[in-house]
Amino acid sequence: GNTSIAGTLSVTGDITLSKSTPLVTINSTDDTAAGLILNAGATTDAYVQYKSNGTITWTVGMDGSASDDFLISNGALGTNNRLTINTSGAATFSSTLAAIGNFSVNTTMFTVTASNGNTAVAGTLGVTGATTLAGLSATTGSFSSTVSVTGSGRVSIATTHNSDSMVDLESS
């Protein structure tokens, strides 16, 4: 049957809900906050597990043994971490980060437009290793320049500002 409790319910030990579709609902009917607090010891974990047919599929929680990092783990908490957020807010993804819409870092410092892949970098772009540049150009106000690098090592820089000028640098 149904049981109503007004006030605080304290339970020592485990609570098991058995039903074909168990459901726990927390209602706040008087415009006050409703919440669930998991309070673990100083070096223990506070977590929620999601299971499929009795097997742990996902675990979400705070890893008390790892400086209270917030984890989303594929399995038990702390194993196969897919997302880790430390208490400073730094996030680590363990696999590919995919963005369906536009992607930006610090609003305008690094942006990628989803519809065409155009990428903007505000600041210095450092490149290490072999690099291929094709159709590289820059425009600022009435000044524009195009830098071309060919496979033969030829570098062409074309600039336009009220008159055309061209500089060719070629390796020997």
Side-chain angles (χ1 to χ4, degrees):
N2 293 335
T3 303
S4 293
I5 299 172
T8 302
L9 170 66
S10 294
V11 178
T12 302
D14 295 338
I15 298 174
T16 301
L17 302 174
S18 296
K19 183 180 162 187
S20 61
T21 309
L23 177 66
V24 175
T25 304
I26 300 172
N27 288 321
S28 175
T29 58
D30 61 356
D31 291 331
T32 58
L36 174 64
I37 298 173
L38 304 177
N39 188 8
T43 59
T44 55
D45 302 338
Y47 59 88
V48 175
Q49 289 184 335
Y50 298 87
K51 294 183 176 187
S52 176
N53 200 26
T55 302
I56 300 170
T57 304
W58 291 100
T59 304
V60 177
M62 179 190 69
D63 190 346
S65 62
S67 302
D68 296 336
D69 289 350
F70 177 79
L71 306 175
I72 297 178
S73 303
N74 189 214
L77 193 70
T79 61
N80 298 317
N81 296 337
R82 302 302 182 216
L83 171 64
T84 302
I85 304 173
N86 68 22
T87 56
S88 297
T92 303
F93 293 87
S94 66
S95 188
T96 302
L97 173 63
I100 295 172
N102 295 341
F103 177 78
S104 64
V105 175
N106 197 16
T107 309
T108 60
M109 291 293 131
F110 179 89
T111 60
V112 179
T113 304
S115 61
N116 56 22
N118 287 350
T119 304
V121 178
T124 302
L125 175 64
V127 180
T128 58
T131 304
T132 301
L133 303 173
L136 182 63
S137 64
T139 303
T140 304
S142 62
F143 172 80
S144 68
S145 65
T146 302
V147 178
S148 302
V149 181
T150 66
S152 63
R154 182 177 176 171
V155 176
S156 297
I157 304 172
T159 62
T160 305
H161 185 263
N162 297 334
S163 64
D164 291 334
S165 62
M166 174 73 115
V167 176
D168 281 333
L169 304 174
E170 192 171 324
S171 65
S172 55

